[in-house]
């Protein structure tokens, strides 16, 4: 069954009503419950939580039996009951209620539970008829003025299904985390890969149904489900949630095999954004201006996912969006769309001050947030490598035009903002490049003596491939603001913040093509509060 893009007659109010129905507690008499007879477990995609504050959290599930359209979920709304408890046995219920799983939103549910106690772990579950979901564990953050001893956070990105198994999450469950920060490329839109470990069904991901089925494929992975159920997630996107290398309203790289065209891109992005909302534990408030029907029909429409979260007095977490508002890449080879490496000296528009990676509105918002930043850890969760990475040894430069290197004026505005507002203890966490890079955030990357204004840890992928370490030492020598790099191993990073210091541990797998792969520590680093210097331990 194919889901067409709704007409303009379905307005933004209808979408927000549907999202609100899934997010709001309902009190319906049992006779009013919409309860189809289910022939299969409706909770095959598991449960998740996210968007935590000091007194609330979003609980997520999606009703999706093994064959969604043939398992009697039907095309009507379904009443889903939920419970939050102090204990895993649900003998001490804290809150409970009902929400509507709407067919227009793929029978997803986003319950925004409010009135919880700060800095507290909870258990939750969903029920439809006699079916019960797996039990999830989540937590609230400490109150903004609370003195906090520790925050333990994993950061991860880039999980291409056909490149390997999601075994990293099995090991991540043992890390005793407070939260997971996922910084993009949750799914990939491709039909497959050369030398694939496994081949995804369905071909190219183009329509709303295509994106829904690809998310269902990924979320069907037991290790990923278990990690979602272990603690709350903070999520942002990169390009593959839509199309490789897209930038704002412009399509990305389109190979000869990709059946889409740039003219199709507005509808494709619309479908992708809706599917992202349907499958992530995020708040209905991300659905903002410019919405028509169930998807974005206006190229200027917005689904605002950037925000700030406070973890007591210990850390401020800024979650950024470096795709939706991004100006197109410049000087890509042969006039093609998307990315390539570029000699900036041959690109007249490279240093154009009007170009932005985050968009000017998000830049202004971030500056306003920096203006009220405290003497705490200020952690930016964003998509990619921040520091300059010159691929050409010796004189001259070769830089990649899709990341921060391709937007040098925007990068300088961000570092200038950090300096102007005297932002303490700036830490940038990223992904995208499928490699581990650790270094110092410089005020001016063209000046080797420029002061550091922060530190960065750009993480490797969960599975997505990289080119290996043949040139890693050469690239480190060319870019001395980095102190460590590895372009081979896959896994994730763990950052532990205390008032005195942070400790980052790079955790890597032996072989992502094996489900039983082992994990080890590749390297670890410390940064003392008030001193933006990375020290290898």
């Amino acid at each position: 069954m194919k889901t067409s893009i709704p007409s303009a007659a379905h307005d933004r109010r209808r979408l927000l009503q549907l999202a609100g129905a899934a997010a709001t507690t309902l009190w319906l008499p049992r006779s009013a419950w919409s309860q189809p007879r289910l022939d299969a477990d409706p909770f095959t995609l598991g449960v998740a939580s996210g968007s935590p504050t000091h007194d609330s959290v979003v609980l997520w599930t999606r009703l999706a039996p093994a064959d969604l359209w043939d398992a009697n979920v039907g095309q009507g709304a379904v009443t889903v009951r939920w419970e939050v408890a102090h204990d895993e046995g649900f003998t001490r219920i804290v809150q409970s209620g009902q929400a509507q799983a709407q067919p227009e939103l793929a029978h997803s549910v986003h319950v925004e539970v409010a009135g919880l106690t700060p800095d507290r772990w909870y258990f939750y579950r969903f029920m439809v008829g006699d079916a019960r979901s797996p039990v999830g564990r989540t937590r609230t953050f400490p109150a903004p003025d609370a003195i906090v001893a520790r925050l333990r956070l994993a950061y991860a990105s880039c999980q291409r299904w056909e490149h390997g198994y999601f075994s990293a999450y099995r090991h991540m469950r043992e890390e005793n985390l407070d939260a997971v920060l996922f910084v993009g490329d949750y799914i990939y839109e491709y039909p497959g890969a050369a030398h694939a470990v496994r081949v995804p069904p369905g071909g190219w991901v183009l329509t709303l149904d295509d994106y829904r089925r690809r998310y269902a494929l990924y979320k069907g992975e037991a290790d990923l489900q278990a990690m979602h159920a272990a603690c709350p997630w903070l999520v942002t996107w990169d390009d593959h949630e839509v199309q490789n290398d897209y930038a704002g309203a412009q399509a990305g790289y389109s190979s000869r095999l990709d059946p889409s065209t740039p003219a199709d891109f507005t509808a494709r992005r619309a479908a992708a954004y809706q599917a992202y909302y349907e499958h992530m534990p995020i708040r209905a408030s991300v659905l903002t201006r410019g919405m028509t029907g169930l998807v974005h029909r206006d190229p200027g429409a917005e689904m605002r996912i950037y925000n700030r979260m406070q973890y007591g007095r210990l850390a401020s977490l800024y979650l950024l969006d470096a795709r939706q508002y991004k100006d197109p890449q410049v000087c890509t080879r042969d006039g093609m769309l998307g990315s390539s490496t570029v000699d900036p000296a041959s690109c007249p528009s490279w240093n154009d001050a009007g170009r932005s990676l985050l968009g000017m509105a998000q830049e202004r918002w971030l500056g306003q947030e920096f203006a009220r930043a405290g003497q705490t850890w200020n952690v930016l969760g964003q998509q990619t490598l921040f520091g300059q990475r010159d691929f050409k040894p010796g004189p001259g430069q070769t830089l990649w035009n899709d990341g921060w290197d391709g937007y040098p004026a925007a990068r300088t505005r961000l570092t200038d903002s950090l300096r102007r507002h005297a932002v303490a203890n700036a830490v940038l966490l990223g992904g995208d490049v499928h490699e581990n890079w650790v270094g110092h955030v410089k005020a001016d990357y063209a000046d080797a003596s420029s002061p550091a204004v922060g530190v960065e840890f750009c993480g490797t992928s969960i599975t997505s491939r990289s080119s290996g370490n043949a040139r890693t030492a050469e690239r480190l020598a060319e870019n001395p603001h980095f102190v460590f790099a590895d372009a081979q191993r896959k896994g994730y990073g763990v950052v532990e913040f205390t008032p005195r210091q942070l400790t980052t541990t790079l955790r890597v797998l032996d072989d992502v093509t094996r489900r039983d792969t082992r994990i080890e520590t590749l390297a670890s680093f410390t940064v003392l509060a008030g001193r933006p210097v990375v020290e290898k331990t």
Side-chain angles (χ1 to χ4, degrees), residues 119 121 148 200 211 225 249 285 334 378 395 437 486 489 517:
D119 200 10
W121 285 96
V148 181
Y211 283 103
Q225 280 192 23
S285 59
D334 303 320
N378 287 281
W437 286 82
D486 178 81
R489 304 291 291 277
T517 184

Side-chain angles (χ1 to χ4, degrees), residues 79-312:
T79 301
V80 179
R81 293 168 289 140
W82 58 269
E83 294 176 336
V84 175
H86 286 304
D87 64 308
E88 194 170 6
F90 290 84
T91 62
R92 293 183 293 151
I93 301 294
V94 176
Q95 290 191 39
S96 62
Q98 301 99 35
Q100 293 294 97
Q102 303 283 353
E104 296 92 338
L105 292 174
H107 289 100
S108 63
V109 178
H110 300 70
V111 177
E112 299 180 17
V113 185
L116 299 174
T117 302
D119 200 10
R120 182 67 186 259
W121 285 96
Y122 293 97
F123 296 90
Y124 65 95
R125 66 185 178 186
F126 298 91
M127 293 157 284
V128 174
D130 294 330
R132 283 183 169 81
S133 74
V135 173
R137 183 172 178 257
T138 191
R139 66 161 301 161
T140 51
F141 281 1
D145 61 350
I147 297 174
V148 181
R150 189 190 79 159
L151 165 63
R152 192 165 168 82
L153 183 75
Y155 60 99
S157 63
C158 304
Q159 49 188 32
R160 191 167 176 183
W161 191 84
E162 55 267 43
H163 281 181
Y165 299 107
F166 296 169
S167 306
Y169 292 118
R170 184 174 71 255
H171 299 286
M172 190 186 287
R173 287 185 67 200
E174 306 302 318
E175 301 283 0
N176 191 26
L177 300 172
D178 293 297
V180 173
L181 171 64
F182 195 89
V183 294
D185 294 342
Y186 192 96
I187 63 165
Y188 280 71
E189 81 282 19
Y190 299 135
H195 311 294
V197 175
R198 47 196 180 159
V199 179
W204 288 94
V205 176
L206 304 170
T207 69
L208 179 55
D209 271 352
D210 292 339
Y211 283 103
R212 286 170 170 172
R213 293 180 188 279
R214 187 56 55 92
Y215 276 105
L217 175 71
Y218 278 53
K219 284 184 169 289
E221 288 286 292
D223 289 329
L224 177 57
Q225 280 192 23
M227 193 62 237
H228 269 299
C231 67
W233 283 43
L234 317 175
V235 296
T236 187
W237 53 31
D238 196 19
D239 53 341
H240 289 287
E241 286 89 351
V242 181
Q243 183 192 31
N244 182 44
D245 284 354
Y246 89 93
Q250 178 175 285
Y253 174 71
S254 184
S255 76
R256 290 178 297 173
L257 298 177
D258 189 334
S260 70
T261 68
D264 300 329
F265 183 67
T266 299
R268 184 177 184 179
R269 191 183 82 158
Y273 281 10
Q274 178 173 339
Y276 186 85
Y277 173 75
E278 291 171 350
H279 292 87
M280 292 294 139
I282 53 181
R283 297 178 184 273
S285 59
V286 303
L287 306 170
T288 58
R289 66 175 178 84
M291 302 295 292
T292 302
L294 299 178
V295 293
H296 300 265
R297 300 298 298 274
D298 174 3
E302 178 182 19
M303 192 169 111
R304 179 177 162 167
I305 61 172
Y306 64 87
N307 67 343
R308 171 182 171 169
M309 292 152 286
Q310 194 67 30
Y311 197 87

